[in-house]
Amino acid sequence: MYKDLRDGDGKFYLNNRPVSDARVSEGDVVSVRFPPEQGDLDVPASDAELDVLYEDKNWLVVNKPAGLTVVPGPANRTDTLVNRVKGHWLENHEENLVPHIITRLDRFTSGVVLVAKHRLANSLANVLMDEKEIFKEYVAVVSGTGLSDHAEIDKPIAKRDVGFGQMISDDGKPARTEYWKISDSKSYTTVRVVLHTGRTHQIRVHFASIGHPLIGDELYSGPMELGIDRQALHAAKLSFIDPFSNKELKFNVDLPSDMKQYFD
């Protein structure tokens, strides 16, 4: 951010006058004009559907469907959440065209995603994340029964030595997951989950490690015959104090149809 200001088209103002080097005094007003973020030419815009929950000049909050990849990669560079957000902003004639994904979700996890609309919002959101001031709650359906009404899973997580995915390892990074049981069925349990750390696949790895992998989660040996063909995981709630307005922004996203069947 500071490099772009120094080397790009950013501008500083002291009491509404442009300056490059100035001494400030008590009561002065310093303003900063960030250069527009034009966007990556290798990331095309997509006009596919985008479920917008909230948008202002700093934040975009969307409901991501299961199956939609968040950021472009070798397997998909044309229709990810980032491509769709870029298309949405082009349609609205936004100045900044670089979506900063704050709360990233796995491809087959559904639910609420927070996007910062410019560099400063991104920097402030990263501080909030580091200080654990962005609250997220998930809903999951895990295999088996017999879970405690409320418990924590505290096990370090590392990347698998071979293949794709993560594993429990003493050499891994600390990871802590808290959950509350919602209901039991004959072959599965519904739970609310809060992460106290943000490791890759954390919820999926932790529940698999205690013998209760998420149903539909083929990567972590979850049962595939219980009516859903993706991991039964949904980011249901997100809230934080907006550092620009000092007001709470709070979002609650309904379960998608493929998960509602487990909560009837």
Side-chain angles (χ1 to χ4, degrees):
M1 182 172 68
Y2 292 112
K3 184 176 183 297
D4 286 342
L5 283 170
R6 185 190 65 210
D7 301 336
D9 297 325
K11 291 182 172 59
F12 292 89
Y13 298 85
L14 180 61
N15 299 321
N16 295 319
R17 293 183 295 104
V19 295
S20 58
D21 184 9
R23 184 178 297 277
V24 298
S25 303
E26 184 176 355
D28 284 343
V29 176
V30 178
S31 307
V32 182
R33 166 70 179 175
F34 293 99
E37 296 180 86
Q38 299 296 337
D40 188 341
L41 295 177
D42 293 329
V43 178
S46 170
D47 61 0
E49 181 180 0
L50 186 69
D51 185 0
V52 176
L53 303 173
Y54 174 84
E55 187 169 16
D56 61 22
K57 64 182 181 180
N58 304 307
W59 312 108
L60 172 69
V61 183
V62 301
N63 180 20
K64 186 188 84 69
L68 180 65
T69 304
V70 172
V71 298
N76 184 354
R77 294 194 178 278
T78 60
D79 187 26
T80 68
L81 182 63
V82 164
N83 300 102
R84 294 187 186 190
V85 170
K86 186 175 182 179
H88 170 70
W89 287 346
L90 279 170
E91 184 179 2
N92 290 346
H93 307 290
E94 295 276 357
E95 181 179 62
N96 296 302
L97 297 174
V98 177
H100 299 275
I101 305 296
I102 305 303
T103 57
R104 186 168 172 171
L105 298 179
D106 297 337
R107 177 183 175 186
F108 291 105
T109 298
S110 56
V112 62
V113 175
L114 174 64
V115 184
K117 296 182 68 171
H118 52 77
R119 297 173 181 84
L120 182 57
N122 179 54
S123 295
L124 293 173
N126 286 330
V127 171
L128 293 176
M129 290 285 284
D130 289 343
E131 296 179 351
K132 303 186 189 308
E133 293 182 0
I134 295 181
F135 173 80
K136 298 177 291 180
E137 182 176 288
Y138 297 79
V139 174
V141 186
V142 305
S143 57
T145 59
L147 287 170
S148 302
D149 289 341
H150 173 224
E152 288 192 5
I153 307 169
D154 190 349
K155 298 182 179 183
I157 293 176
K159 184 175 176 55
R160 285 177 177 171
D161 296 329
V162 178
F164 180 71
Q166 309 292 311
M167 64 180 183
I168 301 299
S169 170
D170 291 337
D171 296 327
K173 295 180 180 179
R176 187 162 64 96
T177 301
E178 187 174 9
Y179 71 85
W180 295 259
K181 182 165 64 176
I182 300 172
S183 64
D184 275 321
S185 183
K186 291 182 179 179
S187 55
Y188 60 81
T189 304
T190 59
V191 293
R192 295 186 297 112
V193 184
V194 171
L195 297 178
H196 295 286
T197 51
R199 309 304 174 205
T200 300
H201 297 178
Q202 180 172 320
I203 294 173
R204 300 163 65 188
V205 174
H206 267 172
F207 278 101
S209 76
I210 62 171
H212 295 274
L214 273 61
I215 67 171
D217 192 351
E218 187 173 12
L219 179 62
Y220 295 104
S221 302
M224 302 301 294
E225 71 282 357
L226 294 179
I228 192 169
D229 60 0
R230 55 102 173 183
Q231 67 257 15
L233 183 60
H234 177 70
K237 296 181 180 181
L238 183 145
S239 62
F240 65 102
I241 302 299
D242 180 1
F244 295 99
S245 67
N246 205 33
K247 295 179 180 179
E248 184 180 30
L249 297 180
K250 193 172 186 178
F251 308 95
N252 191 350
V253 184
D254 288 340
L255 289 166
S257 59
D258 63 351
M259 285 186 62
K260 282 183 179 178
Q261 59 183 310
Y262 305 102
F263 294 82
D264 293 337

